[in-house]
Amino acid sequence: MRQLNWGILGLGNIAHEFADNMVKLHPIYAAASRSLDSALAFQKEYGVKKAYGSYEELLCDPKVDIVYIATVNSQHYSCIMACLEHNKHILCEKAIWGNYEEMKIACGLAKEKGLLLCEGMTIFHMPIFKEIKRMIADGDLGAIKFVEAELGSLKEDDPANRFFNPDLGGGSMLDIGTYGLSFVTYFLSGQITDMNHLMSPYPTGVDETWSIALKTDTNEIGSVNLTFRAKLPKRGIIAGEKAYIIVMNYVRAEKAVLVYPDGSEETLKIGETAKALQYEIQDIEAAVLTGDHSLAFVDHTMKVVNLMDQLLTAEGRQ
């Protein structure tokens, strides 16, 4: 398969982490910042072929096949639509967007143009989760009854930073909530029929802490607990009639513990946490080059966006 020419929009911390991993697979074609000096520094650091001082210049480059959007949350949708207008495939950093109706418009345009539009959600691409899905399908855990995800990120108590700034897409749902919802819904079967929640806001009005309960038409229960002002373990649990699995660091997991009813345990280790973004890049490239967009979990992303939209709307954030 041919090598895709990637362009990167927005050159903050996550873009550097992405680039660190991409150059281990192949060179980066282009990078753009609103400051040409920043783009040139990024070019020098990662050996990027083209550096642009505006997003529009990069999007007008006909050699760019796919764009990684690494801007702040509040800019994601405008960047997505600009990429689609210029006929570029898209990998957008999480959370891709919180408005379900707008995402339906974007996904519809992408489908019409034959373009991939997907989210940078490492959970979907970790080898260990693919193995756990196989185990569930083979009945190794028995019928699934309960799936839980927790994540607490102790952000600095500063109303001015992006995490608490409503104008920059702040709030825990759009930053870490998408991880918890992605994990839980990935392992729940059936359709979600009920959702209840509690939310506690930060003084700026953005959502700080959530407790979310889900139920499916297969009578499975999901639970997601999040906070921006306290630490919680990055822990996921998948509980079935025959055994349960505990996954620590579920965002980029490489290990899990299988626990049987008699208390005996078995440790699974598949893949490497350090290669999480490389697994993601490889799956996205395969989705583009083969045309099999299921490899990028587009439908699952839309399910999560729909849930986020419902939750944020219920709390007056949309």
Side-chain angles (χ1 to χ4, degrees):
M1 291 190 287
R2 71 181 181 90
Q3 179 183 306
L4 294 175
N5 285 333
W6 284 79
I8 301 176
L9 296 187
L11 304 180
N13 290 337
I14 189 63
H16 281 266
E17 185 182 3
F18 187 83
D20 285 335
N21 281 272
M22 178 161 282
V23 295
K24 293 173 182 174
L25 299 173
H26 58 67
I28 302 166
Y29 176 75
S33 172
R34 289 177 172 172
S35 160
L36 181 57
D37 287 343
S38 295
L40 290 171
F42 194 90
Q43 178 184 42
K44 182 178 180 180
E45 183 173 358
Y46 296 105
V48 177
K49 186 170 184 180
K50 298 283 187 178
Y52 294 107
S54 74
Y55 299 163
E56 179 69 18
E57 287 179 274
L58 183 148
L59 295 179
C60 286
D61 185 334
K63 291 187 178 179
V64 172
D65 297 309
I66 180 168
V67 173
Y68 171 59
I69 297 173
T71 60
V72 296
N73 287 338
S74 58
Q75 296 175 9
H76 283 182
Y77 191 71
S78 61
C79 289
I80 286 170
M81 296 308 288
C83 289
L84 292 175
E85 289 164 7
H86 287 82
N87 297 307
K88 309 299 186 187
H89 298 286
I90 302 162
L91 171 62
C92 182
E93 186 50 49
K94 61 82 191 165
I96 189 169
W97 196 236
N99 185 303
Y100 183 61
E101 293 302 319
E102 289 181 340
M103 276 307 300
K104 285 200 295 186
I105 292 170
C107 284
L109 180 58
K111 186 174 182 180
E112 177 185 317
K113 288 173 168 275
L115 298 169
L116 176 66
L117 168 57
C118 63
E119 180 180 48
M121 177 51 62
T122 50
I123 287 170
F124 299 150
H125 307 288
M126 297 306 294
I128 196 163
F129 290 140
K130 296 177 182 181
E131 173 62 13
I132 292 172
K133 288 282 274 190
R134 183 203 62 75
M135 292 171 64
I136 292 171
D138 289 350
D140 295 347
L141 274 65
I144 300 302
K145 297 297 181 179
F146 183 78
V147 183
E148 178 183 34
E150 298 173 314
L151 180 52
S153 183
L154 183 56
K155 304 301 183 186
E156 182 182 358
D157 192 5
D158 178 6
N161 71 32
R162 72 173 181 86
F163 300 109
F164 298 117
N165 188 331
D167 295 328
L168 296 178
S172 61
M173 180 57 66
L174 291 177
D175 192 83
I176 59 176
T178 183
Y179 283 126
L181 287 170
S182 293
F183 178 89
V184 168
T185 56
Y186 184 62
F187 289 107
L188 289 174
S189 66
Q191 299 298 313
I192 294 170
T193 56
D194 295 289
M195 179 167 63
N196 294 287
H197 74 278
L198 296 170
M199 190 278 283
S200 177
Y202 188 75
T204 59
V206 303
D207 48 291
E208 178 188 306
T209 301
W210 293 86
S211 183
I212 304 160
L214 307 169
K215 184 180 178 181
T216 72
D217 58 6
T218 53
N219 286 320
E220 297 172 8
I221 298 291
S223 176
V224 179
N225 295 303
L226 314 162
T227 181
F228 252 2
R229 288 291 302 134
K231 273 292 185 183
L232 281 173
K234 294 177 183 176
R235 182 179 64 182
I237 298 174
I238 307 147
E241 291 179 332
K242 294 181 180 179
Y244 66 88
I245 288 181
I246 302 174
V247 187
M248 301 305 294
N249 188 30
Y250 68 85
V251 172
R252 297 181 179 182
E254 63 181 32
K255 291 194 295 185
V257 178
L258 181 63
V259 185
Y260 295 98
D262 64 2
S264 60
E265 297 181 357
E266 178 182 340
T267 298
L268 309 175
K269 187 179 186 306
I270 303 167
E272 298 177 44
T273 294
K275 293 183 178 180
L277 290 177
Q278 293 174 51
Y279 299 136
E280 179 180 281
I281 291 166
Q282 289 169 326
D283 278 355
I284 300 312
E285 291 185 336
V288 171
L289 294 170
T290 66
D292 182 1
H293 291 185
S294 68
L295 297 171
F297 296 87
V298 179
D299 291 343
H300 198 95
T301 291
M302 287 300 288
K303 180 189 294 187
V304 172
V305 172
N306 190 10
L307 294 175
M308 289 196 304
D309 191 331
Q310 291 179 52
L311 291 162
L312 291 169
T313 298
E315 292 296 337
R317 288 294 320 280
Q318 296 286 51

